[in-house]
Structures are given as structure tokens and as C-alpha cells.
Amino acid sequence: MSKIHAAITAVNGYVPDYVLTNHELETMVDTNDEWITSRTGIKERRILKGEGLGTSDMAVPAVEGLLKKRGITAEEIDLIIFCTTTPDLPFPATANILAHKIGATKAWGYDLQAACSGFLFGLATGAQFIESGKHTKVLVVGGDKMSSIINYEDRATCIIFGDGCGCALLEPNTDGYGIMDSVLKSDGSGAHLLFQKSGGSVSPASHETVAAKEHYAYQEGQAVFKFAVTNMADVAAEVMERNSLTSDDIAWLVPHQANKRIIDATASRTGLSADKVVVNIERYGNTTNGTIPLCLWEWESKFKKGDNLILAAFGGGFTWGSIYLKWAY
């Protein structure tokens, strides 16, 4: 019997309408368009506006579009893995909320939290359920409403992050397409360099924590950049070496969109020219769990069946990893 691989059979995405430009940020914090662009590659990002809207509200249109593309109903989904750092609520899982909203009555699901590496970890996890034969349709969602945990008086973070959501459907494939390999890593010694100080069990919400602005993302930019620029590039190179792949074998590098300089370093380390690198950071910024699925969604029409793709990510935790997959359609 041929080996079962977990293949991506459909992708889709959603970004909110509101565009927050660098020029608008100039009116909010001490920064300017040239500074932001030269250091991050970001020109604008999307923000989810509207009372009572959360991450699941971006997931619904993304997933409904995916189901329509694939020609299936929500009842056919076996499992939903929702990769997010900004769940609708601390509990229940946003995967459960999403399942209810889309009518996925036969699916079970849970949230996966690995900061910006979440979607990558989610794909690798979902693949196990497909490869084992346990499930035939696993929906992996990656999305964040980062604006809900960003302090728009902190220029170290507010220039970087945006809101958005993407999703991918995993199904079994016996023709040699799908997820071929993954290298996944984490190192908790970097936890204090990129984190949200309060709102968890160590420091629950109080008047004091809110007043001290401890419910926002905090980042030590230089330290995080240094770690990310090396490790994301190394892990992409590692998954290629493990599978005897050269830059000539790779059709596309799909990197997490954290910073254009980190993307460039990863491309350089893997020997890939700019025309093989998927980049949309200038329009969306860093949407955390949304970056890679939004890239897959926007580039879907350019991918050809059998293309070798390298996915790479880095996030708080620290977490990082890379996936090698053969595009299935």
C-alpha cells in the first residue's frame, strides 16, 4: 500500500477592510514611513474594527470560502485545529466557537498556541491525524486579531502587527504529494523576550495590571531579531538538507512574515532568489498565525502540482520550524 501523506487540498484567507498605513501611525507614535519600511518592509496592515468582533469572525469567511472552493460542507470536517494567540475567549477554544458558527457539527477541535509558529505546528499536528488514517478532512486555521493585544503607544510593536486569518484543508494523498517532512523546535529560555506579562494564571487581570499596560504584547526587538534571523534560516536549510534538496529543487519559500530582513536572511541561507520567495508583509504586516496561510491563499494560483514548497516560521516561546511539502493541485 502506498504511503499516506497529508496534502493541502484547498486554502483560503480573509483580511479586514480597515487599512492602517504607516502615515496614520506617524500621527499616533514617534515614527515615520521611511523608518518602518527600511527596518520591517511593512507599508500597511489590516485592523478588525467593530464592537464585539474577535478572531473567529475573521475565520468564518475564510473557512466558508475554503469549503465552497473545495465543494464540501462543514459537516464533512473531522477535526479543526485553530492556531491563534488571540482566541475569542480564554476558554472555550475558538475552534469550538468556529465549529458552531460554520455548522461543523461532526468535528471535534482545539486551539493550538505557539505564537507565530502556530500554523506551522498546526499543519504538522493535523498531518498526523491524516497519516494515521484516523481522519480524512482536517481543517487547520491560523488567525489573529493582534490589534486586541497591541499598545498603540508602543512603537516597538504597533508598527509590526496586523489582523488576518487563513486556513488550509488537509486530506489523504497516496500519489506522493503533501507534507513530506518537518523540523519543529522550541526554547523556553527566550520566553521573557516576547510575551504578554499579565492575563494568565501567574498574573491575573487586576486594576493594577491594566493600569500598568501589562495586557499587551511586549517585545525586546533586537534580541528577538537576532534569534529569529539565525534560527528560521537554519531550520529551513535543515529540512532541505535532510531531504537532499538544493535551491534548484525548490519552487517556493513561504516564510512567516515578521520582518523583511528575516525573510531575506532565510532566502539567502537556502540559496533562493527573490522571485521564489512569497512576500506580502508590505500589505499585511505580521498577522502572527495568519501569515503563512494568507501567503498560500494569495499565491495559490501560482503554485503548480508537484511544486516543492518550504514553509518556515519563528515565534515567541521561542518557537520555530520548517515544513517541506509537495503541492497537490
Side-chain angles (χ1 to χ4, degrees):
M1 193 181 140
S2 314
K3 179 171 162 48
I4 297 172
H5 287 108
I8 293 175
T9 56
V11 290
N12 204 43
Y14 173 84
V15 290
D17 295 331
Y18 189 87
V19 178
L20 175 59
T21 64
N22 289 350
H23 294 297
E24 188 177 344
L25 281 172
E26 287 175 8
T27 68
M28 297 156 72
V29 287
D30 179 20
T31 191
N32 62 70
D33 174 57
E34 193 279 323
W35 192 90
I36 298 170
T37 307
S38 63
R39 278 163 182 77
T40 67
I42 303 166
K43 282 287 187 189
E44 57 189 44
R45 63 293 290 143
R46 300 298 181 96
I47 305 295
L48 182 64
K49 299 272 192 181
E51 199 61 42
L53 296 178
T55 302
S56 72
D57 294 293
M58 295 185 287
V60 170
V63 173
E64 286 179 342
L66 177 144
L67 296 173
K68 197 174 169 190
K69 265 188 193 177
R70 188 69 185 124
I72 63 169
T73 65
E75 285 93 356
E76 292 175 65
I77 299 168
D78 298 308
L79 165 63
I80 298 172
I81 302 175
F82 204 129
C83 313
T84 185
T85 298
T86 52
D88 285 12
L89 304 162
F91 72 93
T94 308
N96 305 146
I97 295 168
L98 174 65
H100 177 65
K101 285 182 174 180
I102 63 171
T105 51
K106 294 185 176 70
W108 67 286
Y110 58 89
D111 290 358
L112 189 155
Q113 216 302 42
C116 296
S117 306
F119 183 76
L120 199 86
F121 286 16
L123 280 181
T125 306
Q128 308 307 310
F129 288 96
I130 297 290
E131 289 170 15
S132 69
K134 177 93 175 153
H135 293 321
T136 57
K137 287 181 174 59
V138 174
L139 177 67
V140 184
V141 182
D144 275 294
K145 183 186 174 183
M146 289 305 292
S147 60
S148 67
I149 57 165
I150 293 301
N151 176 3
Y152 286 91
E153 293 171 357
D154 174 15
R155 69 174 185 172
T157 54
C158 74
I159 64 168
I160 298 165
F161 295 97
D163 302 342
C165 184
C167 52
L169 184 67
L170 293 175
E171 296 186 77
N173 183 289
T174 53
D175 300 323
Y177 301 107
I179 293 173
M180 310 309 284
D181 196 13
S182 62
V183 178
L184 310 170
K185 299 178 184 263
S186 62
D187 177 1
S189 68
H192 63 290
L193 298 171
L194 178 49
F195 74 124
Q196 181 182 314
K197 191 169 184 180
S198 293
S201 59
V202 170
S203 175
S206 67
H207 288 297
E208 290 74 26
T209 63
V210 172
K213 299 190 163 108
E214 291 176 357
H215 295 264
Y216 295 123
Y218 167 82
Q219 168 168 285
E220 257 177 60
Q222 276 309 106
V224 173
F225 176 82
K226 233 163 87 176
F227 203 93
V229 83
T230 315
N231 286 284
M232 190 165 122
D234 282 353
V235 82
E238 185 182 338
V239 85
M240 284 172 63
E241 281 157 25
R242 255 170 57 154
N243 293 278
S244 307
L245 296 165
T246 68
S247 54
D248 294 336
D249 301 317
I250 305 302
W252 298 97
L253 170 68
V254 187
H256 167 55
Q257 311 283 303
N259 180 303
K260 183 66 166 63
R261 291 184 294 165
I262 298 171
I263 294 170
D264 291 345
T266 306
S268 168
R269 179 83 169 78
T270 51
L272 293 167
S273 53
D275 59 338
K276 286 183 167 187
V277 184
V278 177
V279 182
N280 60 15
I281 191 172
E282 73 284 354
R283 285 177 291 122
Y284 302 138
N286 181 353
T287 55
T288 301
N289 284 279
T291 60
I292 289 176
L294 286 173
C295 282
L296 295 175
W297 168 54
E298 288 204 325
W299 261 257
E300 182 186 21
S301 63
K302 295 181 180 155
F303 299 154
K304 294 183 195 70
K305 189 174 182 174
D307 274 357
N308 288 323
L309 272 60
I310 299 291
L311 279 46
F314 176 89
F318 289 129
T319 55
W320 67 104
S322 186
I323 284 177
Y324 159 44
L325 67 84
K326 276 190 180 292
W327 197 249
Y329 63 96

